[in-house]
Amino acid sequence: MLEVNKWSFCQPDNQFSLQKWQKTVDLMTELFSAPAGFIVHKTDEAYRIIVSSEQRENPYHAGIELAIDDNIFCKKVLKDMAPLYIPQVSLDNQWDDCPLTVDGVESYLGVPITWPSGEPFGTFCVMDFKKTDYQHSLLELIEQLRDMVEDDLALLDNFTQMREIAMLDPLTNIYNRRALNLLCQHKLNLAARLGFNICCLFIDIDNFKPLNDKHGHEVGDKALICLADTLKQYLREADIIGRLGGDEFIAVLQVKSNNCIEAISYKLNEAFKENLKHMAIPELNLSIGSGIVAQPKETFAELLKRADEDMYEKKQASKLAR
C-alpha cells in the first residue's frame, strides 16, 4: 500500500503522472479567475506544494515547502478536515502571522484531500490577491475536482497493492522468485556502477521434508514463516530477501569482504533455531551457500547458481560429518 506519512510523487514514477493533476489545477484556477491554485501534500515534516497552477502571477512553484508549525490555511483545513473559505483574509486577525499574507494573499478556498484509508493527504486550494465572493456553485465545484484527485489516489493505491501482491510470496510475505530476479539484477547493476561488493546467500532448511511428513504441513509452513521473519529481523532493510520456492530462500547483501559471510551465516542459523524454539517447532538447521560477485557484468542468474552450488557442497559435507 501507499505509505501515508511519507512524501509521495517526489520522483518520476511510471505508475502515475502528475500531468493530469496539473490540468485539473489549471482548470480550477481558470474557472475561479484566480491567480494561484495548488495541490499541497502534508506529512509530519512539512507542507509541500506538489502541483502549482501555471499562471505568470502565481509566486509559488511546485516544490516549495512550508514549515509544519507555520500558521497557514492548509493546516486549519486538515485540522478540521473540512472546507475553509476566507473571502477577505485581512479582516481576520488569526491570519496576521500567516507567511502567505506577507506575500499579499487576500482570499483562500481549500478542501481536504484524503488517502483511501481516510488519513489526510493534503489540500486542494485556490488563492487570490484580492477579496473574493465565490458563489455556492464554485464551492461545490472545488469539491468535485478534489474528488477526482481522491479517485486517482484510490486507483494508485489499488495498483500498488496489486503490484505488491504480484511480487510477494503469499505465505512468508517476502519477495517471490519473479521479484528477486528483477530487484537483485538491479542491485548488481548498481553495485557495478558504484563499486561495492554484493554477496548472495542461498539458504536451504535441512530435513524440511521429514518435518512436514512427521508433523504436517501446518508446522512446515510455520517453519518457513519463521525463517522469513528471522531474515527480516537480522538483515538490514536495504538487503533483499526472498523465497525461491519450497524451503529455498535468498538474501542479497552489500558486504565489505568475504570475511564477514561466515559470521552472518552463523548468526542467521543460531537466530533461526532460537526462533523455532520460541514457536515450539522442532529444531532445524540451515545450509547456507554464498557467492560474491566475481566480475562487473555478472548476472544474477550466474551469481545465484554459484551460491546454490556452494550451498549444496556444504549440505553434503554436513551429512558426511554426522
Side-chain angles (χ1 to χ4, degrees):
M1 295 177 64
L2 294 169
E3 297 185 76
V4 169
N5 199 36
K6 291 191 176 181
W7 291 125
S8 304
F9 316 112
C10 296
Q11 302 293 333
D13 190 333
N14 290 333
Q15 299 176 45
F16 186 80
S17 170
L18 286 178
Q19 190 58 39
K20 180 181 178 183
W21 286 1
Q22 183 68 59
K23 290 180 178 178
T24 304
V25 168
D26 290 340
L27 173 63
M28 174 185 68
T29 52
E30 182 180 342
L31 293 171
F32 277 78
S33 299
F38 312 98
I39 293 176
V40 178
H41 182 24
K42 182 257 180 188
T43 71
D44 287 343
E45 300 172 17
Y47 294 84
R48 174 184 287 164
I49 297 173
I50 59 171
V51 179
S52 176
S53 59
E54 296 179 328
Q55 305 100 308
R56 184 179 301 174
E57 58 267 39
N58 182 359
Y60 309 113
H61 58 78
I64 286 179
E65 293 182 7
L66 291 169
I68 202 72
D69 295 325
D70 282 347
N71 181 27
I72 57 174
F73 311 118
C74 293
K75 185 175 184 178
K76 180 166 177 56
V77 171
L78 293 179
K79 179 184 177 183
D80 298 340
M81 289 305 291
L84 173 66
Y85 176 38
I86 313 171
Q88 192 169 0
V89 173
S90 58
L91 296 182
D92 192 339
N93 292 337
Q94 71 170 306
W95 303 112
D96 287 350
D97 61 343
C98 174
L100 300 176
T101 60
V102 175
D103 296 328
V105 172
E106 183 63 13
S107 170
Y108 173 89
L109 171 62
V111 291
I113 302 171
T114 60
W115 292 98
S117 63
E119 294 290 319
F121 170 87
T123 61
F124 190 70
C125 55
V126 61
M127 294 191 294
D128 209 320
F129 299 107
K130 65 180 187 298
K131 175 185 173 182
T132 59
D133 183 21
Y134 297 141
Q135 301 304 304
H136 183 70
S137 58
L138 286 179
L139 303 184
E140 287 187 340
L141 174 65
I142 195 171
E143 293 194 344
Q144 289 293 321
L145 294 173
R146 181 274 316 274
D147 290 349
M148 293 169 59
V149 173
E150 289 187 344
D151 288 344
D152 286 338
L153 283 176
L155 285 171
L156 182 57
D157 188 55
N158 288 337
F159 177 84
T160 303
Q161 289 186 58
M162 287 187 291
R163 185 174 66 174
E164 288 177 353
I165 290 169
M167 295 184 73
L168 293 179
D169 174 59
L171 176 65
T172 59
N173 204 36
I174 59 177
Y175 290 124
N176 58 23
R177 180 185 287 268
R178 176 191 177 199
L180 284 170
N181 287 331
L182 291 171
L183 296 173
C184 293
Q185 187 59 58
H186 176 72
K187 188 90 167 179
L188 263 63
N189 295 342
L190 189 64
R193 191 162 68 247
L194 300 180
F196 56 80
N197 293 323
I198 289 292
C199 170
C200 175
L201 300 182
F202 197 111
I203 305 162
D204 182 87
I205 302 177
D206 294 340
N207 299 314
F208 181 71
K209 186 176 184 304
L211 176 79
N212 263 337
D213 293 343
K214 184 175 181 180
H215 298 279
H217 288 283
E218 184 177 348
V219 173
D221 286 350
K222 287 181 179 179
L224 296 173
I225 294 168
C226 179
L227 177 51
D229 290 344
T230 301
L231 295 174
K232 286 188 281 189
Q233 181 182 358
Y234 283 91
L235 296 179
R236 296 163 301 188
E237 189 174 343
D239 298 329
I240 300 171
I241 61 173
R243 180 185 177 204
L244 284 180
D247 61 328
E248 295 179 338
F249 289 70
I250 294 296
V252 172
L253 332 169
Q254 180 178 338
V255 294
K256 292 182 178 179
S257 69
N258 297 16
N259 299 333
C260 63
I261 297 173
E262 187 174 340
I264 293 171
S265 298
Y266 176 80
K267 180 179 71 173
L268 289 174
N269 201 13
E270 292 302 303
F272 176 55
K273 288 191 282 190
E274 188 65 27
N275 288 341
L276 287 174
K277 188 187 298 184
H278 288 158
M279 295 175 67
I281 298 173
E283 182 174 314
L284 294 166
N285 231 23
L286 300 176
S287 289
I288 304 178
S290 64
I292 291 271
V293 172
Q295 54 185 338
K297 293 188 177 180
E298 184 169 28
T299 66
F300 174 61
E302 292 168 335
L303 180 63
L304 183 63
K305 183 173 183 293
R306 287 196 289 108
D308 183 14
E309 290 169 350
D310 187 54
M311 183 279 297
Y312 182 77
E313 289 177 8
K314 288 177 178 173
K315 184 183 282 287
Q316 294 305 112
S318 177
K319 287 180 179 178
L320 292 174
R322 290 173 194 160

